[in-house]
Amino acid sequence: MPQAKYRKIALLGYRSVGKSSLTIQFVEGQFVDSYDPTIENTFNKTVCVNGQDFSLQLVDTAGQDEYSIFPQSHSMDIHGYVLVYSVTSTKSFEVVQVLHDKLLDMVGKIQVPTVLVGNKKDLHMERVIKPEEGKKLADSWGAAFMESSAKENQTAVEVFKRIIVEMERADGNAPSEEKKCAVM
């Protein structure tokens, strides 16, 4: 069995968009209902994608706004980014665009492995950002796009598997046919 590939992933986004909820749903399989602002947490999980194990270190960052200084630690040794906004918040959608620009400035590249996630899609009565808007933004970045609901455990695992695929593609390891394996 080949050794697990180490990958470090940062979750970025405006406050209370569900970065921690998505991460905890992926790592522990549970939804945390209470909102406790994150300073910064790190989670570890091993997952198998296309027959390869990946040892993930997930950096769940504090919520940022458009005026936040982009911490250099969010660009050092990070292999991929999950940028999260809430489909119920225009402000979070605007902030995620600013964060993406700051991220590219910090890493000095025109593109980095990124998945844009519109979270809280279970709150469809409060939705203000249409899926098409998220998809259009992600396409303009050359990024993958998904919508999720951490609460209903929709796509939490898929979000992190997708960022792995994006990181592998950026490394020149385009995925072959989907191989089956178990998540531990």
Side-chain angles (χ1 to χ4, degrees), residues 22-75:
L22 263 179
T23 305
I24 292 167
Q25 184 64 266
F26 172 63
V27 174
E28 299 175 8
Q30 63 180 341
F31 178 69
V32 179
D33 217 353
S34 58
Y35 176 62
D36 189 14
T38 304
I39 296 163
E40 184 169 302
N41 284 328
T42 304
F43 297 88
N44 295 294
K45 182 171 176 95
T46 299
V47 65
C48 182
V49 176
N50 294 328
Q52 169 69 54
D53 282 335
F54 291 87
S55 174
L56 302 182
Q57 183 177 14
L58 308 173
V59 182
D60 178 18
T61 64
Q64 295 97 8
D65 61 35
E66 64 274 44
Y67 307 112
S68 298
I69 303 294
F70 194 90
Q72 195 153 13
S73 63
H74 295 171
S75 64

Side-chain angles (χ1 to χ4, degrees), residues 1-7 46-56 161 164 168 173 179-182:
M1 185 93 189
Q3 189 174 358
K5 287 186 181 180
Y6 169 76
R7 292 290 181 262
T46 299
V47 65
C48 182
V49 176
N50 294 328
Q52 169 69 54
D53 282 335
F54 291 87
S55 174
L56 302 182
K161 285 189 170 188
I164 291 168
E168 285 296 282
N173 303 324
K179 296 176 191 156
K180 299 288 182 207
C181 56

Side-chain angles (χ1 to χ4, degrees), residues 120-163:
K120 302 189 181 184
K121 76 174 190 176
D122 55 293
L123 301 177
H124 37 83
M125 300 303 282
E126 297 149 53
R127 177 188 282 274
V128 291
I129 307 296
K130 296 183 184 85
E132 302 79 46
E133 295 173 84
K135 175 89 174 91
K136 182 178 174 188
L137 180 60
D139 288 348
S140 75
W141 295 348
F145 172 71
M146 301 177 88
E147 284 198 339
S148 67
S149 165
K151 184 174 188 174
E152 295 179 353
N153 197 9
Q154 295 177 349
T155 65
V157 172
E158 289 80 3
V159 164
F160 292 98
K161 285 189 170 188
R162 185 60 192 265
I163 189 59

